[in-house]
Amino acid sequence: DQQVKQNSPSLSVQEGRISILNCDYTNSMFDYFLWYKKYPAEGPTFLISISSIKDKNEDGRFTVFLNKSAKHLSLHIVPSQPGDSAVYFCAATQTYGGATNKLIFGTGTLLAVQP
Amino acid sequence: EAGVAQSPRYKIIEKRQSVAFWCNPISGHATLYWYQQILGQGPKLLIQFQNNGVVDDSQLPKDRFSAERLKGVDSTLKIQPAKLEDSAVYLCASSLGTGTGGMGQYFGPGTRLTVL
């Protein structure tokens, strides 16, 4: 049962353009969502997050949008840079009710930014 | 600040052999996680420790996998005996506590296990 889905295994964009990575989830109990970035032979690193009480969170070139009714979130990178080339994982968790904040990850999207 | 350390970085074994992975979390981090990442999939939590106690091991195949965190610092994950489907990257992560919504989880570089 894949509770967090990233349906695009890969994405290629030109440097300077916008990258949009998508993520869907099925569990309505999730109340916190995160994006992680992973380079080859390294562990994932936290990028940006959003609480379910918000619909947008921005940090520099990165913006995450959350549509709770559609159970969908997206990560926008503007402008895209070659150094952004990596695998991006969407993750979700339930933080209330004494939950352990276990992260449920999607399968990842490989972003390639072409110079 | 030193990050999460893991060793070895790579390991190749034959099926039915045993293997152990070691993790040293960031100093002061009470919570330690072991994840399994199979090729083409996202990381899956195997076990979560709070200090030296187990918080969640619901997805740990306990017939062959074991983990311990003696003294609440370093941790070891063992597989005995290994199967072909155990080929994966094993990631260790740590955080100050559990109430961070995942934002405070810092990952190590992982150990890539190949079972032949």
Side-chain angles (χ1 to χ4, degrees), chain A residues 37-45 87, chain B residues 4 6 9-10 37 89 91 107-112:
Chain A
K37 178 179 180 180
K38 185 182 184 303
Y39 292 118
E42 295 183 13
T45 55
V87 176
Chain B
V4 176
Q6 290 188 248
R9 292 296 309 274
Y10 304 91
Q37 186 183 3
V89 175
L91 295 161
F107 285 82
T111 296
R112 180 175 294 279

Side-chain angles (χ1 to χ4, degrees), chain A residues 2 32 34 36 38 41-46 49 89 93 95 99-108, chain B residues 9-10 35 37 40-43 45 48 55-56 58-59 91 98-103 105 107-109:
Chain A
Q2 190 71 24
Y32 204 82
L34 308 93
Y36 280 81
K38 185 182 184 303
E42 295 183 13
T45 55
F46 168 75
S49 64
F89 289 102
T93 187
T95 63
T100 59
N101 298 297
K102 179 165 69 176
L103 290 178
I104 307 298
F105 284 87
T107 52
Chain B
R9 292 296 309 274
Y10 304 91
Y35 289 86
Q37 186 183 3
Q41 300 181 19
L45 180 70
Q48 177 181 341
V55 174
D56 185 342
S58 57
Q59 297 193 92
L91 295 161
T98 59
T100 57
M103 190 169 64
Q105 286 193 33
F107 285 82

Side-chain angles (χ1 to χ4, degrees), chain A residues 1-55:
Chain A
D1 177 26
Q2 190 71 24
Q3 298 185 70
V4 178
K5 300 176 185 178
Q6 294 177 257
N7 293 318
S8 297
S10 63
L11 174 68
S12 182
V13 300
Q14 289 295 121
E15 180 178 5
R17 307 294 287 270
I18 184 171
S19 295
I20 301 176
L21 295 92
N22 294 304
C23 177
D24 297 292
Y25 62 97
T26 57
N27 189 341
S28 58
M29 303 292 275
F30 291 145
D31 63 343
Y32 204 82
F33 305 88
L34 308 93
W35 286 93
Y36 280 81
K37 178 179 180 180
K38 185 182 184 303
Y39 292 118
E42 295 183 13
T45 55
F46 168 75
L47 188 59
I48 191 169
S49 64
I50 188 167
S51 165
S52 60
I53 62 173
K54 296 185 175 181
D55 55 15

Side-chain angles (χ1 to χ4, degrees), chain A residues 44-105:
Chain A
T45 55
F46 168 75
L47 188 59
I48 191 169
S49 64
I50 188 167
S51 165
S52 60
I53 62 173
K54 296 185 175 181
D55 55 15
K56 177 182 175 181
N57 188 28
E58 191 172 354
D59 184 1
R61 297 185 298 113
F62 303 91
T63 303
V64 57
F65 296 91
L66 174 62
N67 182 334
K68 279 191 298 182
S69 61
K71 292 190 177 68
H72 176 82
L73 63 156
S74 60
L75 174 68
H76 293 209
I77 306 174
V78 183
S80 301
Q81 300 174 353
D84 296 330
S85 297
V87 176
Y88 289 78
F89 289 102
C90 172
T93 187
Q94 174 186 332
T95 63
Y96 65 89
T100 59
N101 298 297
K102 179 165 69 176
L103 290 178
I104 307 298
F105 284 87

Side-chain angles (χ1 to χ4, degrees), chain B residues 23-111:
Chain B
C23 172
N24 182 235
I26 293 173
S27 177
H29 280 193
T31 308
L32 185 145
Y33 313 79
W34 283 103
Y35 289 86
Q36 179 192 57
Q37 186 183 3
I38 293 172
L39 185 64
Q41 300 181 19
K44 181 183 80 173
L45 180 70
L46 292 176
I47 189 167
Q48 177 181 341
F49 291 95
Q50 177 75 10
N51 295 308
N52 61 351
V54 175
V55 174
D56 185 342
D57 63 356
S58 57
Q59 297 193 92
L60 186 75
K62 299 180 186 62
D63 58 333
R64 298 184 299 106
F65 286 64
S66 64
E68 59 183 11
R69 191 184 184 198
L70 300 176
K71 301 181 181 177
V73 183
D74 292 9
S75 178
T76 303
L77 177 69
K78 295 180 182 177
I79 308 176
Q80 179 179 10
K83 293 185 175 181
L84 296 177
E85 58 260 37
D86 298 332
S87 294
V89 175
Y90 291 85
L91 295 161
C92 179
S94 69
S95 64
L96 279 172
T98 59
T100 57
M103 190 169 64
Q105 286 193 33
Y106 295 84
F107 285 82
T111 296

